[in-house]
Amino acid sequence: EAQVTQNPRYLITVTGKKLTVTCSQNMNHEYMSWYRQDPGLGLRQIYYSMNVEVTDKGDVPEGYKVSRKEKRNFPLILESPSPNQTSLYFCASTHYLGSEQYFGPGTRLTVT
Amino acid sequence: AQKVTQAQTEISVVEKEDVTLDCVYETRDTTYYLFWYKQPPSGELVFLIRRNSFDEQNEISGRYSWNFQKSTSSFNFTITASQVVDSAVYFCALSEALNNAGNMLTFGGGTRLMVKP
């Protein structure tokens, strides 16, 4: 089954404790992205990757890092999480520019 | 800059009613792509439809239909004979072809649809 998976689905952590949210897709897509969804602010792109070892900032990259060492995986790293990073995070993948993006199930992160 | 506006924040209907969700977009690109996504209470984002700027044909898929009008920069979504399972937040989104290396989607604020039995 074609899908995007994310782990964990729910995470409660404390300020400053490094964490990684994993994302994996099995559709051999070139493009992958991370979005965060916040009430009143909608969905905003954090980082994206056009292929292995090619990543760049989206609209709201501050406080996040990513890597793309393999085509299928695109982890999101929060080196020192802060409460303003409490959000619902989505990973997405797509085959080419302009095509539909397929989203993972979401990771609900709470930073206290 | 690109923008997507969904003026209806919440709509409540009774089952079997037809309902139209409005979407108005702004872009300077001549080539762009429009999407609708559904976010049910469980939280995932489900892709519904994609349209490119050169294809103004309306589309029907079961009880769902979409009306794309470039003249009014609108891409409206109609659910015919709504059902309780249609209750969700619906997002309209835009992706520009130029200066969009990240394939970023610009989302509207979403419309929460509540279908009552």
Side-chain angles (χ1 to χ4, degrees), chain A residues 31 33 35 37 43 45 48 50 59 90 94 96-101 103, chain B residues 33 35 37 39 43-45 47 50 91 95 100-105 107:
Chain A
Y31 290 86
S33 293
Y35 290 81
Q37 183 178 21
L43 284 121
Q45 191 186 54
Y48 65 88
M50 293 180 282
D59 268 0
F90 288 100
T94 186
Y96 53 85
L97 282 175
S99 64
E100 58 271 23
Q101 298 196 29
F103 286 83
Chain B
Y33 308 91
F35 306 84
Y37 284 87
Q39 187 173 40
E44 70 272 24
L45 284 162
F47 165 74
R50 168 188 180 268
F91 291 97
S95 175
N100 188 14
N103 207 19
M104 184 180 75
L105 286 171
F107 284 86

Side-chain angles (χ1 to χ4, degrees), chain A residues 15-33:
Chain A
T15 298
K17 186 176 181 183
K18 181 179 177 180
L19 66 92
T20 299
V21 183
T22 64
C23 172
S24 183
Q25 51 95 1
N26 63 0
M27 296 169 278
N28 202 36
H29 285 168
E30 277 70 35
Y31 290 86
M32 297 186 74
S33 293

Side-chain angles (χ1 to χ4, degrees), chain B residues 19-66:
Chain B
V19 58
T20 295
L21 310 182
D22 297 333
C23 172
V24 174
Y25 62 90
E26 295 174 29
T27 177
R28 291 182 180 168
D29 273 8
T30 54
T31 303
Y32 52 89
Y33 308 91
L34 295 164
F35 306 84
W36 276 94
Y37 284 87
K38 175 182 180 180
Q39 187 173 40
S42 48
E44 70 272 24
L45 284 162
V46 179
F47 165 74
L48 295 178
I49 191 172
R50 168 188 180 268
R51 264 283 176 269
N52 74 54
S53 52
F54 299 108
D55 183 2
E56 282 193 76
Q57 270 196 334
N58 292 331
E59 178 146 345
I60 298 174
S61 176
R63 297 183 297 106
Y64 294 173
S65 62
W66 290 269

Side-chain angles (χ1 to χ4, degrees), chain A residues 11-17 19 81-86 109-112:
Chain A
L11 180 59
I12 300 174
T13 190
V14 296
T15 298
K17 186 176 181 183
L19 66 92
S82 62
N84 65 11
Q85 293 178 298
T86 292
L109 172 65
T110 301
V111 184
T112 61

Side-chain angles (χ1 to χ4, degrees), chain A residues 8 22 32 36 38 40 51 66 69 73 77 79 86 99 105 108 110:
Chain A
T22 64
M32 297 186 74
R36 60 178 288 175
D38 302 289
N51 215 322
V66 293
K69 293 184 169 50
N73 296 324
I77 302 154
E79 295 267 3
T86 292
S99 64
R108 189 167 292 281
T110 301

Side-chain angles (χ1 to χ4, degrees), chain B residues 13 15 17 19 23 27 44 51 55 65 68 71 73 78-79 83-84 87-88 90-92 97 99 110 113:
Chain B
V13 300
E15 214 172 13
E17 282 185 29
V19 58
C23 172
T27 177
E44 70 272 24
R51 264 283 176 269
D55 183 2
S65 62
F68 176 26
S71 60
S73 297
T78 297
I79 302 175
Q83 300 177 0
V84 173
S87 297
Y90 290 87
F91 291 97
C92 181
N99 300 314
L113 174 65

